[in-house]
Amino acid sequence: MTMTERSEKPDPKGSAVSDDAALDLFFEAARKTPAQPSEALMARVMADAMAQLPAGRTAFPPERKGLWRQLSEALGGWPALGGLATAGIAGLWIGISPPAALPDLAGLVLGTSADAYLVDLLPDPFSDLATDLNEG
Amino acid sequence: MPFDARSVGSATSQGGVDAGLLRRFAAGDPEAARALTLRLTPRVFAHAMRLLGDRAEAEDVTQDALLRLWRVAPDWREGEAQVSTWLYRVTANLAMDRLRRRRGVALDSVAEPADDAPTAAQSLQDQARAGALQAALATLPERQRQAVVLRHIEGLGNPEIAGIMDISAEAVESLTARGKRALSAALAGRRAELGYDDD
């Protein structure tokens, strides 16, 4: 409808088509030059966002921690766990085949050797349970 | 910071990113707050400037519009609307309130858009044309201005504009057609000066 009206009028400024094309140049220029927000505005918007942020965890972990990870972190992470594992394995090894210098504790407790000794592992200066019992 | 939403992925993927960030914001993630601020502030501000032509008012409208978004975030229902659509609507409503309050104020007192330092990609001619267009937009009735800006600068389709402006797609067509005729007339006197006839 409007195109017909336009073509019936004498149009010294050009056809409707070139009007549209001309406008497109202006629109394109506008698209290429958006007004930029100031740093001050960015800061105000950020402050509002932080103030409105719903209560939640301050650190936002990517996934829930499993029990194992919580335990290992409580113990000091993998370096500590490595030491713990090493100590555990060493203890197990010593217990299974003790070096000659160490008494065979398992034998003492379980009574596999011929002589059974009652050993007071925490000597009390005021009483000597082992001596009491051995002497009757 | 230069930011052209259309240069970074499609509108749909943009909307998906915005919605995801808003969900994380609602869950209390400060990184999402930062990311949303950086992504959305330039887009809202640019649109507010096109509607208002005044930097101080555009800044107020921008801060106000985004404050409303932060407040609505916990109740945001994904899939119902795009974040950008919602923001266009809120920004325009706030801008229109100010424009109506401004009515009767001489156009001379409306500040020209601030001279943002042109980047290497922006020619002086672009700046001049954009400034002329902004001045011409200021002469349009508010609804024609909004329709033309949404259609020909923000690049939205008629259905989305209809949703933003609460009118039919046909009404959008009518507004943009009338707006473009008015712009052509307003710009006619400045064509030679702006190098239009050389192209």
Side-chain angles (χ1 to χ4, degrees):
Chain A
M1 210 168 16
T2 55
M3 300 289 269
T4 313
E5 279 173 19
R6 192 183 290 279
S7 65
E8 281 170 359
K9 281 190 210 162
D11 189 2
K13 296 188 184 72
S15 72
V17 172
S18 69
D19 272 355
D20 257 10
L23 265 185
D24 283 344
L25 290 172
F26 286 97
F27 290 138
E28 192 191 326
R31 279 194 296 273
K32 292 198 305 195
T33 60
Q36 304 291 345
S38 63
E39 290 295 327
L41 176 62
M42 296 291 288
R44 287 199 296 277
V45 171
M46 184 85 77
D48 284 345
M50 292 305 185
Q52 297 296 322
L53 193 64
R57 288 171 281 186
T58 48
F60 200 86
E63 82 266 355
R64 236 170 37 86
K65 281 189 199 175
L67 180 64
W68 182 239
R69 184 188 275 214
Q70 288 180 38
L71 264 174
S72 69
E73 287 190 5
L75 292 167
W78 289 110
L81 278 179
L84 192 67
T86 308
I89 288 167
L92 183 65
W93 184 50
I94 290 169
I96 288 171
S97 54
L102 290 178
D104 184 2
L105 190 60
L108 279 172
V109 170
L110 297 172
T112 52
S113 59
D115 300 314
Y117 298 91
L118 184 63
V119 177
D120 191 345
L121 294 169
L122 261 179
D124 182 339
F126 299 108
S127 78
D128 187 352
L129 178 64
T131 310
D132 288 343
L133 288 175
N134 283 342
E135 291 175 349
Chain B
M1 97 209 83
F3 183 86
D4 176 3
R6 278 191 304 283
S7 71
V8 189
S10 72
T12 327
S13 63
Q14 289 289 321
V17 175
D18 288 341
L21 285 171
L22 200 60
R23 191 188 331 120
R24 283 173 52 195
F25 177 92
D29 182 358
E31 281 308 313
R34 188 171 301 120
L36 281 167
T37 298
L38 293 174
R39 281 173 68 84
L40 300 177
T41 307
R43 281 146 59 175
V44 174
F45 180 72
H47 189 56
M49 273 296 285
R50 287 172 181 134
L51 297 177
L52 289 162
D54 177 280
R55 182 162 273 265
E57 290 205 290
E59 289 205 347
D60 286 348
V61 163
T62 301
Q63 190 176 355
D64 204 348
L66 288 168
L67 181 60
R68 288 167 193 231
L69 180 66
W70 311 142
R71 289 190 172 143
V72 88
D75 301 320
W76 186 269
R77 283 182 296 200
E78 271 177 76
E80 282 198 1
Q82 289 221 357
V83 174
S84 57
T85 306
W86 190 92
L87 279 173
Y88 277 130
R89 182 195 277 257
V90 170
T91 303
N93 288 343
L94 292 168
M96 294 312 178
D97 286 346
R98 286 174 180 260
L99 287 170
R100 282 185 210 111
R101 270 183 259 146
R102 236 199 247 169
R103 257 187 223 154
V105 174
L107 284 170
D108 289 345
S109 65
V110 174
E112 285 286 319
D115 288 326
D116 294 308
T119 66
Q122 294 168 357
S123 67
L124 288 173
Q125 191 171 62
D126 279 340
Q127 288 279 1
R129 282 176 176 169
L133 180 67
Q134 189 65 49
L137 279 169
T139 67
L140 261 54
E142 292 113 16
R143 296 282 275 177
Q144 283 181 25
R145 185 186 324 172
Q146 183 184 8
V148 168
V149 167
L150 287 171
R151 181 83 181 79
H152 293 288
I153 303 180
E154 311 290 354
L156 304 186
N158 282 350
E160 191 176 353
I161 299 172
I164 290 167
M165 295 184 69
D166 259 335
I167 54 180
S168 67
E170 292 75 25
V172 172
E173 280 280 5
S174 170
L175 279 172
T176 51
R178 295 196 329 255
K180 283 170 70 176
R181 278 206 303 284
L183 284 176
S184 285
L187 288 164
R190 303 188 63 184
R191 280 182 188 181
E193 164 198 342
L194 293 161
Y196 148 55
D197 287 325
D198 297 337
D199 290 325

